[in-house]
Amino acid sequence: MANTQKPCIGFVGLGAMGFGMAMNLVKQGYPVKGFDVYPPTVQRFKDLGGLTASSLGDAAELYCICMVATPAQVQSALFDGEGSLSKYDKEALPRCATLLLCSTTPSTYVQSVQEKLMREGRDDIFLVDCPVSGGAIRAAEGTLSIMAGGSDRAIEEAKFLLEEMSGTGKLAIVHGGIGAGSDMKMAHQVLAAIHILAANEAMGLASRLGLDLSRARDAILKSEAWSFMHENRSPRMLEQKFTPPASALTIILKDVGIVTSMARLRNFPTPLTSTAEQVYLSGLSRGMGPEDDAGLIRLYLSEPSSQSISSPNEANDNSALGMKIVIQLLASIHLCAAAEAIAFAGHLGLDLSQFFNVVNSAAGGSWMFRDRGPKMIAKHGKLEKSIWITKEEENTIETSVKSLSAVIQAARDIECPLYLGNAALNILLTMKHRGWDECTDDSVLKFWDKQV
């Protein structure tokens, strides 16, 4: 039974992530009034101990969490119609309410929300810009990574809820006010978007090479090719279960669109993120939008049917060379992804040390980011080429080019597309062309430096 001494929480948006977040608060003893436009979800929430809100206004408590999917849905919940949360009537948010906006939206949109609240006379609302990362399981466990921005008072009012929903060390208070949390999440999604597609690309190549995919997964997770996304998505590739989705393709496509549109607005190149977006659009055009994003592995197979995915009984699992090729592909992509994300975060003016910690505690983490990230961050913005000169034992741009070129050729020989692999190779080749071939591979960060 809920502890009535804890404040009632209004929760708008009971989707895959929102449902888990709301149920976690219920388990922590909060009375939670959940609202969603899909009645079966609301009924399920009620069956599991939650309270149900009959309307948006009914969910307008002193503390309210909004976890809908898109800016359009946020706009509808907050401002559209008589029953919206921000209207000054008996069904709207009470005076001095705290509103946590957990949806992933552009920072410019969150800032426009704050401005509109002020224009409509609701500057009493304590708005917190706090997108989340970690997936449905961590949402239900209360161990999400949360990137929160807002006024000092708003953060103070919301902190107990932010702490209830986040894991130990996974709550990042991002300085810069409203929009700062969304900028941090946007930079993080550079890695998330690339790594999801990289996991599909690597497992697709492994299948085409005839490898045992279960053993390939195990080898990847123990190597420098590890990423959170590979560990998270690859089981669904092995099971070939793409519906119902744990994370639909349309979700990451929405997020990557936020990144690329902002990058275009700021004239900043994002070659790997943009490549991932185009492949996601290709999947969307093939009807994969509502399916799990792990189903994109099918784009890399010679036959459209999921039955063409190699099974342990069919695959040749004795190819050490094949496994080396797959690991090298992922390590190369992750290296360039780390550089693209750090360069973008720096361009946005984010604290790079905080960005590093956020990524490693969230879904964008990888072995390569954890290993190369500190070196890139320490040298970020420095022009002296001498600081990138290699030590004898370190990998160079030249060795990276040779290794990835061999991977690309091996895939070409079996007619397997490598969208991210080729994009990463072209980044590395550009650095070699600029004369950085004998510098350490982390110097790939300088690809994004206008003065190189």
Side-chain angles (χ1 to χ4, degrees):
M1 182 178 292
N3 181 353
T4 55
Q5 292 184 340
K6 293 188 175 183
C8 186
I9 311 298
F11 205 106
V12 177
L14 299 174
M17 291 280 285
F19 192 94
M21 293 165 67
M23 282 306 307
N24 167 63
L25 292 174
V26 170
K27 292 174 184 176
Q28 298 304 318
Y30 290 89
V32 181
K33 295 179 72 173
F35 176 79
D36 196 273
V37 295
Y38 188 56
T41 296
V42 177
Q43 183 60 49
R44 179 172 167 240
F45 183 64
K46 180 180 179 181
D47 293 343
L48 292 174
L51 306 175
T52 61
S54 59
S55 65
L56 280 169
D58 195 23
E61 297 292 333
L62 187 61
Y63 295 95
C64 188
I65 299 170
C66 185
M67 186 57 189
V68 295
T70 67
Q73 291 173 355
V74 174
Q75 194 75 9
S76 178
L78 291 182
F79 302 114
D80 293 349
E82 290 301 318
S84 61
L85 293 174
S86 69
K87 300 296 182 185
Y88 249 142
D89 59 34
K90 63 181 181 180
E91 291 191 343
L93 289 170
R95 184 165 180 78
C96 298
T98 300
L99 175 62
L100 282 69
L101 183 54
C102 296
S103 307
T104 299
T105 67
S107 57
T108 50
Y109 174 72
V110 188
Q111 290 162 351
S112 76
V113 167
Q114 184 182 44
E115 292 166 1
K116 188 170 177 60
L117 286 172
M118 294 180 70
R119 287 197 306 271
E120 296 197 355
R122 294 309 315 263
D123 54 348
D124 60 292
I125 293 175
F126 296 113
L127 177 66
V128 182
D129 162 35
C130 50
V132 303
S133 174
I137 293 176
R138 282 174 52 183
E141 294 172 343
T143 58
L144 288 169
S145 296
I146 303 181
M147 295 136 264
S151 69
D152 291 345
R153 177 68 187 278
I155 294 294
E156 180 184 349
E157 293 290 334
K159 196 168 185 181
F160 77 97
L161 277 177
L162 296 170
E163 290 174 341
E164 292 280 22
M165 297 187 292
S166 61
T168 302
K170 296 182 185 296
L171 171 60
I173 306 301
V174 187
H175 297 295
I178 292 296
S182 288
D183 273 344
M184 184 68 78
K185 176 65 185 291
M186 178 172 59
H188 171 273
Q189 292 306 92
V190 169
L191 291 160
I194 296 169
H195 291 172
I196 289 171
L197 185 60
N200 283 280
E201 188 156 299
M203 295 296 270
L205 176 61
S207 180
R208 294 286 289 273
L209 290 170
L211 300 178
D212 178 326
L213 293 194
S214 180
R215 295 184 184 181
R217 177 182 187 269
D218 291 344
I220 288 167
L221 299 189
K222 296 174 183 176
S223 75
E224 67 271 23
W226 174 87
S227 74
F228 173 95
M229 287 302 187
H230 198 102
E231 184 170 352
N232 183 267
R233 266 41 175 198
S234 52
R236 303 200 283 277
M237 299 178 199
L238 297 178
E239 296 170 6
Q240 303 176 40
K241 293 177 66 176
F242 309 128
T243 55
S247 185
L249 173 60
T250 50
I251 298 298
I252 191 59
L253 180 57
K254 182 262 295 183
D255 288 2
V256 78
I258 292 173
V259 176
T260 56
S261 61
M262 181 61 73
R264 288 192 297 271
L265 184 66
R266 299 179 72 112
N267 297 312
F268 189 85
T270 53
L272 287 176
T273 313
S274 297
T275 297
E277 180 180 36
Q278 295 307 304
V279 180
Y280 291 145
L281 287 169
S282 180
L284 184 70
S285 68
R286 287 165 171 76
M288 299 180 183
E291 298 177 0
D292 198 280
D293 54 31
L296 287 175
I297 187 174
R298 292 168 290 180
L299 296 179
Y300 295 88
L301 305 175
S302 55
E303 298 293 334
S305 170
S306 62
Q307 296 304 314
S308 64
I309 299 177
S310 298
S311 67
N313 294 326
E314 297 169 342
N316 172 14
D317 58 351
N318 298 315
S319 175
L321 176 60
M323 198 62 253
K324 182 179 179 181
I325 287 171
V326 172
I327 288 176
Q328 185 60 57
L329 171 66
L330 275 174
S332 299
I333 293 171
H334 292 169
L335 169 69
C336 294
E340 184 162 308
I342 289 170
F344 190 50
H347 184 75
L348 293 171
L350 296 173
D351 180 322
L352 292 183
S353 294
Q354 185 179 45
F355 177 63
F356 178 77
N357 292 330
V358 165
V359 168
N360 284 318
S361 70
S366 71
W367 186 98
M368 195 60 72
F369 185 87
R370 189 167 60 235
D371 185 76
R372 300 298 200 274
K375 302 173 187 178
M376 294 180 184
I377 290 170
K379 301 172 187 176
H380 180 262
K382 297 180 180 179
L383 298 178
E384 302 89 349
K385 189 175 181 179
S386 60
I387 65 175
W388 304 91
I389 298 299
T390 180
K391 296 179 181 178
E392 188 174 335
E393 71 275 11
E394 292 183 300
N395 291 326
T396 65
I397 293 293
E398 176 65 22
T399 57
S400 297
V401 166
K402 287 182 178 178
S403 297
L404 187 52
S405 293
V407 171
I408 299 299
Q409 187 57 54
R412 182 67 184 85
D413 290 343
I414 58 173
E415 300 179 348
C416 179
L418 296 181
Y419 306 105
L420 286 174
N422 276 280
L425 179 59
N426 278 292
I427 291 171
L428 293 165
L429 284 170
T430 299
M431 292 304 295
K432 179 180 178 179
H433 179 71
R434 292 173 178 173
W436 288 66
D437 45 315
E438 295 304 320
C439 294
T440 53
D441 60 6
D442 54 299
S443 68
V444 69
L445 178 69
K446 303 302 286 184
F447 173 88
W448 285 268
D449 195 320
K450 293 186 289 185
Q451 294 177 287
V452 172

